Each structure stands twice: as structure tokens, then as C-alpha cells.
Amino acid sequence: MAVLLAAYNGMAWLQQQVQSILAQQGVQVALFISVDASTDGTRAWVQALSQAEPAVTLLPDAGRLGSAGANFFHLLCQVDCANFDAVAFADQDDIWLPDKLQRAWQRLASGACAVYSSNVLAVWDDGRSQLIDKAQPQKTLDYFFEAAGPGCTYVLGASAMAQLQPWVRANAHALRAVDLHDWLVYAYCRTQGLRWYIDPVPSMHYRQHASNQVGINAGLSAYRKRWALLRSHWFRRQVLAIARLVAPQQAACLQQRWFLIRNFYQLRRRRRDAWLLLGLLLLGIY
């Protein structure tokens, strides 16, 4: 199984994460790491690791990519995934539970789904933890408005990857309009009719710290950040950018407020999120 890891100034967390990936039970792992331009020695550390560990490959320096999303798109363009049974995404700062990939592979190999993701357990340095539940039943249009949870839980079977990777390569320039790779991958797979399973069992410790690019939606600072994104219409721009890429025939509908209001309950998996979106639509904030 291939694991694609995007890194950037990750020396505070990367060693534990890589150890947890290489220690996965019941699967054979090939780890591919792309290091965005870093200043803390991340590239040198990964270079040394790749020379000592045959299962680890460091991608050539691509210069400044600018975001985790751009780094993952780069990985999808550069790594040849054709000979792997499945492909997983990894962030640099988590700790995977030992059976993370084994659970995913069992679900994929059974034919129950083409793509797997899971809940996570958010953890803080002070010992706090919180289950992040993303396993609500999927809705007809939820993929236009949210991901299936953190992309670091995604595992794509060979058939799904055989469709996704050529599409990413063909649309590499247009993908620059999309900030979050996990949201886009979920939307692409759903529009292609690929069955997606969200496991309610958490598969990893999702470490929370000041350098998280996204993190969980908890605390006053997180709500302020998301409110600012809403008021700047970032959320709306991302919805439309993703729709134009994965389902251009539906993009026009998603620009119509009354279409969204009529279908609000199909736009988010969690009930309270659907009602919150309806309120934002009625207030003209979205």
C-alpha cells in the first residue's frame, strides 16, 4: 500500500508520525514524502531516512508549493500509484493507530466500498482528547459543501485511484483554485459514483497545535477564523471551484440561493450543520 505524506517544517512531529506509519500491522507500506520548502531541516531528515529505510522515498525538490493541498496534488501527479492495491494520504503531525491501514484494507478488499475514511481522536499536549465524528449518513449533495473528514484518514482502493490520478494530472493547473485536497477528492469520488465508507471507529490521534493548517472546529479562535472565511466568501468560492471541476453541469444550480435553500438538508451530513447553513443562506452571508 502506498502512503503519500505532505511535509512542511515538520521536525517537531514528523518522526513519531513516520514511525507510526512504518509500524502499521498487516500491510506492506511504501511511504512517499514530498517536502515543501522548509527551514527547519525537514528535507535533510527525510533524505537521511530515505537512504536508511528502503520503504521511504523522498520526492525531488519542487520548490515552494505553498499549502498542504498543493503538496498533495503534487504527490498525486508525481507518484506512480498504478501497482499498489490502495493509496493512503498522511499529514506530518498525527500518530496512526497500529491497525489504521489494516482496517481500511479489510473494508476495501471486501468490496463494500471504493474509498475509506474514518473518525479521528483529536489530542492536545495537555492530555485532552475529543472524538471528531464525521460518520453521519452521507447526503445527496454533501460533497459540494464538506469533505468526508480529515484527508489524513483517506484510503483509496486501486480502482478509485485509477480514475482519480489521471484526472488530477489532466487538471493540475485548474486545481490551483482549490485549497483543500480532501474536500476535492471526496467530491470527485462521489460524483463518479464511487462508494465511500466513513468508519465511525477512530483510526489515529489527530494532534492539535498552533501550526495546524485546518485543525478541528473548536474554540473561540477557530470560530473566528471560520467566520472570517465565511464573510470573505472563501467558502462560496471553494464550493463553486470544486463544482466546476467535478460536476460543471451542477455549478450553475449551486450559484442559485433558492436552489440551495430548497435543498439545504442535502448539503451537510450533520443536522445542525444543515440548519446553520440554511440560516447563513437566509441571512445572505453565504
Side-chain angles (χ1 to χ4, degrees):
M1 184 180 298
V3 177
L4 310 184
L5 191 155
Y8 170 69
N9 282 344
M11 287 310 301
W13 317 280
L14 192 55
Q15 185 171 2
Q16 281 185 295
Q17 167 68 310
V18 168
Q19 288 175 347
S20 74
I21 293 172
L22 297 180
Q24 287 293 294
Q25 300 171 351
V27 296
Q28 185 174 355
V29 169
L31 176 59
F32 298 87
I33 303 177
S34 171
V35 179
D36 203 345
S38 297
T39 58
D40 69 343
T42 295
R43 171 164 287 277
W45 184 84
V46 176
Q47 179 69 57
L49 176 68
S50 67
Q51 293 171 351
E53 174 55 68
V56 177
T57 300
L58 171 63
L59 269 63
D61 189 354
R64 185 74 175 109
L65 295 168
S67 69
N71 205 346
F72 275 107
F73 294 142
H74 176 67
L75 279 157
L76 284 168
C77 286
Q78 297 301 316
V79 177
D80 184 1
C81 297
N83 294 322
F84 293 99
D85 294 324
V87 178
F89 297 164
D91 291 344
Q92 65 182 3
D93 47 2
D94 306 312
I95 300 176
W96 286 10
L97 298 180
D99 65 343
K100 178 184 187 295
L101 295 182
Q102 187 178 49
R103 285 182 58 84
W105 174 243
Q106 287 172 346
R107 179 67 61 166
L108 292 167
S110 72
C113 62
V115 191
Y116 170 99
S117 62
S118 75
N119 286 342
V120 299
L121 190 68
V123 297
W124 286 262
D125 289 340
D126 60 9
R128 288 179 298 136
S129 63
Q130 178 183 337
L131 177 68
I132 308 303
D133 183 10
K134 297 293 185 179
Q136 300 84 18
Q138 294 166 59
K139 300 291 187 67
T140 306
L141 300 171
D142 71 319
Y143 51 86
F144 285 125
F145 282 79
E146 60 182 326
C152 44
T153 70
Y154 289 13
V155 185
L156 292 87
S159 61
M161 183 56 64
Q163 291 184 234
L164 174 68
Q165 189 165 40
W167 181 83
V168 168
R169 288 171 171 167
N171 292 278
H173 181 77
L175 294 182
R176 295 177 185 176
V178 177
D179 293 339
L180 302 178
H181 65 286
D182 45 8
W183 187 356
L184 178 80
V185 169
Y186 181 54
Y188 174 81
C189 291
R190 287 288 306 278
T191 56
Q192 296 301 305
L194 296 169
R195 188 174 180 185
W196 193 298
Y197 175 73
I198 306 176
D199 193 342
V201 177
S203 64
M204 65 180 210
H205 290 167
Y206 189 45
R207 291 195 281 191
Q208 300 298 298
H209 52 80
S211 299
N212 284 120
Q213 182 168 344
V214 179
I216 69 168
N217 192 10
L220 183 59
S221 61
Y223 284 112
R224 284 176 174 170
K225 180 179 179 180
R226 283 162 172 77
W227 179 249
L229 290 174
L230 274 169
R231 293 300 300 267
S232 70
H233 299 293
W234 172 88
F235 190 69
R236 176 181 172 85
R237 289 196 301 271
Q238 290 297 296
V239 169
L240 295 177
I242 290 171
R244 288 172 184 138
L245 279 161
V246 303
Q249 71 280 5
Q250 291 183 269
C253 293
L254 294 172
Q255 296 185 70
Q256 299 173 16
R257 183 174 299 173
W258 285 112
F259 174 85
L260 299 176
I261 290 172
R262 290 195 304 272
N263 294 280
F264 81 96
Y265 204 65
Q266 297 301 321
L267 303 180
R268 300 297 301 266
R269 293 190 300 278
R270 193 163 53 177
R271 182 180 303 175
R272 76 179 190 190
D273 291 340
W275 283 100
L276 176 60
L277 178 58
L278 176 61
L280 295 172
L281 288 166
L282 292 173
L283 291 172
I285 296 173
Y286 165 77

